[in-house]
Amino acid sequence: MASRSYANLLDLANGDLLDIPHTPRALPRVMTVPGIISDLDGYGCNDGDSDVSSSGCRERKIIVANMLPLQAKRDIETAKWFFSWDEDSILLQLKDGFSSDTEVIYVGSLKVEIDLCEQDAVAQRLLDEFNCVPTFLPHDLQKKFYLGFCKQQLWPLFHYMLPICPDHGDRFDRILWQAYVSANKIFADKVMEVINPDDDFVWVHDYHLMVLPTFLRKRYNRVKLGFFLHSPFPSSEIYRTLPVRDEILRGLLNSDLIGFHTFDYARHFLSCCSRMLGLDYESKRGHIGLDYFGRTIFIKILPVGIHMGRLESVLNLSSTSAKLKEVQEEFKGKKVILGVDDMDIFKGISLKLLAVEHLLQQNSDLQGKVVLVQIVNPARGLRKDVQEAKNETYLIARRINETYSKNNYQPVILIDRPVPRFEKRAYYAVAECCIVNAVRDGMNLVPYKYIVCRQGTARLDESLGRKNDSPRTSMLVVSEFIGCSPSLSGAIRVNPWDIDAVADAMYAALTMSDSEKQLRHEKHYRYVSSHDVAYWAHSFMQDLERACKDHYTKRCWGFGLGLGFRVVSLSHGFRKLTIDHVVSAYKRTTRRAIFLDYDGTVVSQSSISKVPSPEVLSVLNALCNDPKNIVFIVSGRGRDSLSDWLTSCQMLGLAAEHGYFLRWNKDSEWESSHLSADMDWKKIVEPVMQLYTEATDGSNIEIKESALVWHHQDADPDFGSCQAKELLNHLESVLANEPAVVTRGQHIVEVKPQGISKGWVAEEVLQTMINGGNPPDFVLCIGDDRSDEDMFETILRTVSLPSAPEIFACTVGRKPSKAKYFLDDTSDVVKLLQGLAASSNPKPRHLAHFQVSFESTI
């Protein structure tokens, strides 16, 4: 299904399909300057400037997530609400990564429903006591947003589950999508109630809020915004099936920094940006960046850690040591394998049980000696497949126990109830091996917790009568499809679908020597203890600050409707070239040079036919016929094509193949540059390009008189880009001692003679005018791609002249450029040229007094 565009995202968020009231302004603004409370309602402002003055006092971080790090309980007798921090919430724990004087504000929903009449009082209380701003979503919206779009559509898709048929997932539902957008808008409204956009940093968490950055960026163009995805990001083949794929990608790209647990997840996101939005990325000094309309969106790859202090404090409890002794006694003489998983189809519990069954079948000596303790956390969703997974788990466990149980021995123990923290820690500490067999999981911190519990604490050692310096061991069997796998280099990695391999891995873990177990444990413990949640939060925020440091060195424009909104960020001196401005200078001058690129400048890049329109030919003739003008088309195309297409322009100068060939008008001869007459390098380049063409479906070679170009526009975007990088390196290596240069452009790799560029053309023409006693007093140069940047650079440093000319370097499209001006598209270029033509004084004339051969100017 093709996604529909929306004329106004705000109308969508409060659309007819959902009766959702506007978010009430129930909370007072947070004042950063005494007596000043800014009114930041509405989305009319696109300049991103803040009405709130900076306090210069405490640094503030705004953490936005689906759920607040709070626990709520209502007293049955008094009907009063009691709130407390959820000490296990990663959102609360990440504060340890900030400086002690940082103020942290949380925005999110409560895990309980609050009556409408109580919401204002509860909101004020949570702000005063916990610095929390609750988002009270209407019940129907909350259901469609979280249980609907998040859990029925995004969660399965991000875990590689496609709704191929009605019994295998839920098909895309636009009503649920609109609920998702509406909920994200309400979250954004709450952030706007408390933000000081000049100073505060906003950190948005997880897939529930992927379009929230668009709302914030639309209101505050320079908002300092980071996003971290805690789930996997699927490959482009999976993600591209989502009808609203572009809207979500653009939502994420309205952040300054996007974080992922692993490189795989980041790579999939970058591939989606390349394939669906045409964006390329590059790595500079260890940081991956995407250029998005002049803004650099940085990519952060760092798995989240655990809170060491919180975990160790539970280990130090007397209830933990008591439970640990009890569990040790219960499994005395047996080897315990531990699994701790949520009950859902992606955790691979049934696959794990099948592997245990195979382990016992193949190793009769382990029967009666190995026990799998599987702790099952409550399911987070209500999908039908959750119940199916639960039924399958119990069925397999029952079969194993019926086959291998004897006396007091039971090989599989399922603990399917809420398990207190101290009890889980006791099982972690007892288990000789921990297995995480998920078929897909964003991160999974179970292995980290297991390692810390196996290490223990001094107090736990004392209560168990264990020496502090006694060797510690642990063994991990982890799925290669979970986020923590890359960071656990000492773990045995498995494909959870390969039952035999998982069984072999468990056997290896149980029979490995203690010295090897100890070495692996020490390696893991060093990593886990040093890369904790504080390290993760500090590192992310450090990179976010770096990503935002240039916010106020550039000018910003917001454009695009609905979820297509984005911000163009360009240097302060960069502005749109107006017809009035350039015509005024045009009229005042008498010795004018005009340089125009062809493709993407006077002819649209998207046009299949590259023949110029009658409108373009007419305006070019009008400009050329003015005796005060020298007009050149400077293109990378061949001279035959340009001659054919522009044959009606008698007085137009042409520079073909980036200036290797040049003629001053139709009556003059083509002259070739003798900067590089040696073309023997072509014999080296063509066979190399041919190899890459044969290996890259959709690529081709364009043979020019002066250059060879390898095109990969029709190849697979990822593979074509990869091959282009490799070809570039290959050619640079073999041409190291040849008079040729290799350049990479938009979907091309080109080899051309040294010294030849569009900049050289501009320099030659301008120098010719000077040598002829007609130094230019007006220079206009318009182009749209990288090769035109050489022309801009040349005319901007325009040779020291007695009187400085009026210079207009103009790029097509709002993007970073050496040019000082921009025009939006080719139609704007034509309108500008028509404005100049209308101010011209066209008369038949010849260019003989300007025309000088290359030989006389070099």
Side-chain angles (χ1 to χ4, degrees):
M1 178 189 296
S3 62
R4 289 180 287 176
S5 61
Y6 298 97
N8 191 314
L9 181 55
L10 305 183
D11 290 341
L12 165 64
N14 298 294
D16 296 330
L17 294 172
L18 288 171
D19 185 17
I20 300 164
H22 286 273
T23 307
R25 290 287 307 272
L27 294 178
R29 298 289 314 204
V30 173
M31 294 187 290
T32 55
V33 175
I36 298 179
I37 303 178
S38 73
D39 182 9
L40 297 180
D41 282 343
Y43 290 80
C45 176
N46 282 328
D47 61 6
D49 293 332
S50 166
D51 299 329
V52 185
S53 301
S54 172
S55 64
C57 297
R58 294 185 68 185
E59 189 178 73
R60 295 206 316 171
K61 307 284 194 292
I62 300 176
I63 309 298
V64 192
N66 181 39
M67 292 295 172
L68 291 169
L70 294 174
Q71 293 177 332
K73 187 176 182 181
R74 189 165 200 162
D75 187 284
I76 299 176
E77 296 180 0
T78 64
K80 288 185 178 180
W81 283 105
F82 291 92
F83 300 98
S84 61
W85 288 116
D86 180 358
E87 300 290 345
D88 287 329
S89 171
I90 196 172
L91 302 175
L92 182 63
Q93 295 170 356
L94 62 77
K95 290 172 65 175
D96 286 4
F98 305 153
S99 61
S100 57
D101 62 345
T102 300
E103 179 185 0
V104 178
I105 299 174
Y106 293 100
V107 177
S109 295
L110 289 166
K111 299 180 180 74
V112 295
E113 273 195 53
I114 306 293
D115 292 339
L116 186 62
C117 61
E118 298 178 285
Q119 288 180 4
D120 288 355
V122 167
Q124 188 64 58
R125 182 179 166 193
L126 293 181
L127 182 64
D128 294 341
E129 297 179 13
F130 298 95
N131 240 20
C132 289
V133 180
T135 54
F136 298 114
L137 300 184
H139 176 78
D140 183 56
L141 175 62
Q142 171 68 20
K143 184 178 177 182
K144 291 176 180 175
F145 157 63
Y146 181 70
L147 295 178
F149 195 75
C150 289
K151 283 300 180 183
Q152 292 180 22
Q153 299 187 349
L154 284 182
W155 178 258
L157 184 81
F158 277 30
H159 289 73
Y160 289 74
M161 181 177 172
L162 291 175
I164 297 173
C165 60
D167 292 334
H168 190 68
D170 297 308
R171 300 276 171 86
F172 178 78
D173 185 336
R174 193 161 294 277
I175 300 294
L176 300 183
W177 162 244
Q178 291 174 336
Y180 182 83
V181 174
S182 299
N184 274 245
K185 177 187 179 296
I186 292 174
F187 276 81
D189 287 346
K190 289 299 180 181
V191 174
M192 292 176 203
E193 289 183 4
V194 295
I195 191 174
N196 175 2
D198 288 340
D199 300 317
D200 296 347
F201 288 87
V202 181
W203 188 357
V204 182
H205 289 262
D206 223 3
Y207 66 97
H208 315 90
L209 303 172
M210 290 191 292
V211 298
L212 184 148
T214 295
F215 289 102
L216 291 182
R217 186 68 62 187
K218 186 170 186 178
R219 181 60 182 89
Y220 307 114
N221 291 171
R222 293 183 176 91
V223 65
K224 301 168 185 176
L225 177 58
F227 183 96
F228 197 93
L229 184 67
H230 293 269
S231 77
F233 196 93
S235 66
S236 60
E237 286 73 19
I238 298 294
Y239 180 78
R240 73 201 308 175
T241 64
L242 186 63
V244 290
R245 61 193 191 184
D246 287 1
E247 290 89 331
I248 288 177
L249 283 181
R250 293 192 186 280
L252 293 175
L253 290 170
N254 275 318
S255 306
D256 295 296
L257 177 67
I258 307 172
F260 300 92
H261 286 305
T262 72
F263 176 68
D264 270 354
Y265 303 161
R267 178 169 56 85
H268 293 157
F269 171 76
L270 293 169
S271 176
C272 288
C273 289
S274 172
R275 290 171 178 270
M276 293 159 214
L277 302 180
L279 302 178
D280 291 325
Y281 71 92
E282 59 182 353
S283 181
K284 290 184 178 179
R285 298 187 178 182
H287 299 288
I288 300 174
L290 272 167
D291 182 70
Y292 187 58
F293 295 95
R295 295 172 54 241
T296 299
I297 317 303
F298 288 95
I299 305 300
K300 175 76 171 176
I301 302 167
L302 183 66
V304 69
I306 58 173
H307 194 285
M308 294 290 293
R310 174 64 177 160
L311 201 55
E312 289 173 346
S313 67
V314 177
L315 288 174
N316 287 332
L317 295 174
S318 58
S319 55
T320 303
S321 57
K323 184 64 180 179
L324 177 53
K325 292 174 183 177
E326 178 187 325
V327 173
Q328 283 177 330
E329 184 61 32
E330 181 183 355
F331 297 110
K332 190 174 182 179
K334 298 180 177 64
K335 295 185 177 184
V336 176
I337 301 174
L338 179 67
V340 181
D341 302 279
D342 294 345
M343 177 52 74
D344 71 45
I345 60 174
F346 301 113
K347 293 301 187 285
I349 299 176
S350 59
L351 294 173
K352 184 190 307 181
L353 293 175
L354 291 173
V356 169
E357 183 178 40
H358 187 75
L359 176 70
L360 296 174
Q361 285 174 351
Q362 298 299 312
N363 303 278
S364 57
D365 57 313
L366 294 181
Q367 296 174 16
K369 297 178 182 178
V370 173
V371 176
L372 171 68
V373 177
Q374 177 64 53
I375 298 175
V376 180
N377 299 323
R380 299 186 188 183
L382 302 176
R383 295 169 56 93
K384 180 177 65 175
D385 47 41
V386 172
Q387 188 58 47
E388 291 174 355
K390 187 172 183 177
N391 293 340
E392 183 182 17
T393 297
Y394 273 88
L395 181 65
I396 299 172
R398 189 180 305 115
R399 184 177 72 221
I400 296 172
N401 286 334
E402 287 174 354
T403 304
Y404 297 103
S405 292
K406 54 184 177 181
N407 301 327
N408 294 324
Y409 170 69
Q410 189 173 319
V412 176
I413 297 175
L414 284 181
I415 304 178
D416 189 3
R417 57 173 170 78
V419 180
R421 283 189 293 269
F422 75 86
E423 185 177 348
K424 280 185 183 177
R425 305 304 178 254
Y427 280 110
Y428 280 133
V430 164
E432 288 197 27
C433 173
C434 180
I435 177 169
V436 180
N437 205 47
V439 296
R440 190 71 60 178
D441 207 352
M443 181 58 192
N444 202 311
L445 295 173
V446 165
Y448 288 14
K449 295 174 183 178
Y450 166 68
I451 290 162
V452 175
C453 291
R454 288 290 287 179
Q455 180 70 20
T457 64
R459 185 177 297 180
L460 183 63
D461 289 342
E462 184 180 348
S463 65
L464 296 175
R466 185 170 61 184
K467 292 182 180 179
N468 287 341
D469 59 352
S470 61
R472 308 300 158 94
T473 63
S474 64
M475 277 307 300
L476 284 167
V477 176
V478 299
S479 164
E480 60 192 50
F481 300 119
I482 63 176
C484 66
S485 176
S487 61
L488 297 170
S489 56
I492 302 176
R493 298 191 182 100
V494 295
N495 173 3
W497 300 101
D498 188 342
I499 305 301
D500 293 355
V502 177
D504 291 344
M506 286 191 286
Y507 182 81
L510 294 172
T511 58
M512 190 175 290
S513 67
D514 286 344
S515 59
E516 179 68 17
K517 290 179 182 179
Q518 183 181 346
L519 287 173
R520 294 183 184 229
H521 171 79
E522 289 171 354
K523 183 177 186 179
H524 287 158
Y525 184 74
R526 281 195 301 271
Y527 177 84
V528 172
S529 59
S530 60
H531 291 71
D532 61 359
V533 66
Y535 174 87
W536 170 74
H538 176 75
S539 180
F540 185 90
M541 198 52 65
Q542 199 172 46
D543 279 11
L544 180 57
E545 290 173 4
R546 180 181 53 80
C548 300
K549 65 182 175 63
D550 293 332
H551 272 198
Y552 287 91
T553 64
K554 295 183 177 181
R555 299 173 65 198
C556 294
W557 292 270
F559 73 100
L561 297 174
L563 292 174
F565 177 83
R566 58 264 195 203
V567 167
V568 174
S569 181
L570 301 165
S571 62
H572 280 285
F574 193 73
R575 59 187 184 275
K576 187 165 185 176
L577 184 58
T578 63
I579 295 177
D580 291 344
H581 180 48
V582 73
V583 164
S584 174
Y586 186 84
K587 288 180 177 179
R588 294 195 304 269
T589 52
T590 58
R591 301 179 304 278
R592 312 180 192 113
I594 300 174
F595 302 97
L596 303 172
D597 175 40
Y598 189 76
D599 293 278
T601 301
V602 294
V603 175
S604 173
Q605 285 279 21
S606 59
S607 174
I608 297 176
S609 171
K610 296 302 179 182
V611 177
S613 66
E615 184 181 38
V616 169
L617 294 173
S618 173
V619 74
L620 288 176
N621 273 319
L623 291 172
C624 291
N625 288 333
D626 189 327
K628 299 175 183 178
N629 295 342
I630 291 183
V631 184
F632 263 84
I633 291 289
V634 186
S635 172
R637 287 193 175 272
R639 54 179 173 173
D640 291 340
S641 298
L642 292 178
S643 296
D644 291 344
W645 293 337
L646 298 165
T647 187
S648 63
C649 299
Q650 297 284 333
M651 308 306 296
L652 179 65
L654 297 179
E657 299 192 18
H658 298 296
Y660 188 81
F661 296 105
L662 185 146
R663 82 176 186 195
W664 289 81
N665 57 45
K666 187 177 180 181
D667 295 331
S668 64
E669 296 295 323
W670 282 100
E671 299 174 353
S672 61
S673 169
H674 58 265
L675 281 178
S676 183
D678 181 5
M679 292 290 182
D680 288 345
W681 52 264
K682 280 190 171 185
K683 299 174 184 177
I684 302 172
V685 172
E686 190 169 358
V688 174
M689 284 189 171
Q690 190 61 44
L691 285 175
Y692 283 81
T693 303
E694 292 171 0
T696 313
D697 188 37
S699 66
N700 62 84
I701 303 172
E702 179 186 0
I703 300 176
K704 299 181 180 180
E705 292 181 72
S706 69
L708 292 172
V709 187
W710 187 74
H711 294 264
H712 61 93
Q713 186 170 4
D714 296 328
D716 177 271
D718 286 341
F719 185 55
S721 178
C722 178
Q723 290 288 78
K725 290 177 184 177
E726 182 62 28
L727 176 60
L728 182 72
N729 293 334
H730 192 158
L731 290 173
E732 284 178 339
S733 174
V734 299
L735 295 175
N737 298 314
E738 299 293 331
V741 292
V742 188
T743 57
R744 188 177 175 197
Q746 187 75 3
H747 305 302
I748 66 164
V749 174
E750 182 172 18
V751 185
K752 59 187 178 182
Q754 281 182 344
I756 300 300
S757 71
K758 290 186 177 182
W760 181 79
V761 174
E763 189 172 348
E764 284 296 303
V765 173
L766 295 176
Q767 195 60 50
T768 298
M769 294 177 70
I770 294 168
N771 294 344
N774 294 284
D777 53 7
F778 175 96
V779 181
L780 170 65
C781 180
I782 308 177
D784 77 308
D785 63 21
R786 293 180 188 176
S787 63
D788 300 311
E789 296 295 316
D790 292 333
M791 282 199 294
F792 301 149
E793 189 175 12
T794 296
I795 69 168
L796 288 172
R797 65 167 192 254
T798 294
V799 260
S800 36
L801 294 173
S803 58
E806 299 273 5
I807 297 176
F808 299 93
C810 179
T811 188
V812 181
R814 304 186 188 193
K815 57 182 181 290
S817 171
K818 294 173 184 173
K820 301 297 183 184
Y821 300 93
F822 70 87
L823 291 169
D824 286 325
D825 49 36
T826 54
S827 63
D828 274 359
V829 174
V830 174
K831 288 176 185 175
L832 177 74
L833 296 179
Q834 287 173 334
L836 298 180
S839 303
S840 294
N841 184 23
K843 297 174 183 175
R845 51 97 171 185
H846 299 281
L847 280 180
H849 61 290
F850 281 132
Q851 184 177 343
V852 182
S853 68
F854 281 173
E855 287 77 7
S856 66
T857 61
I858 298 176

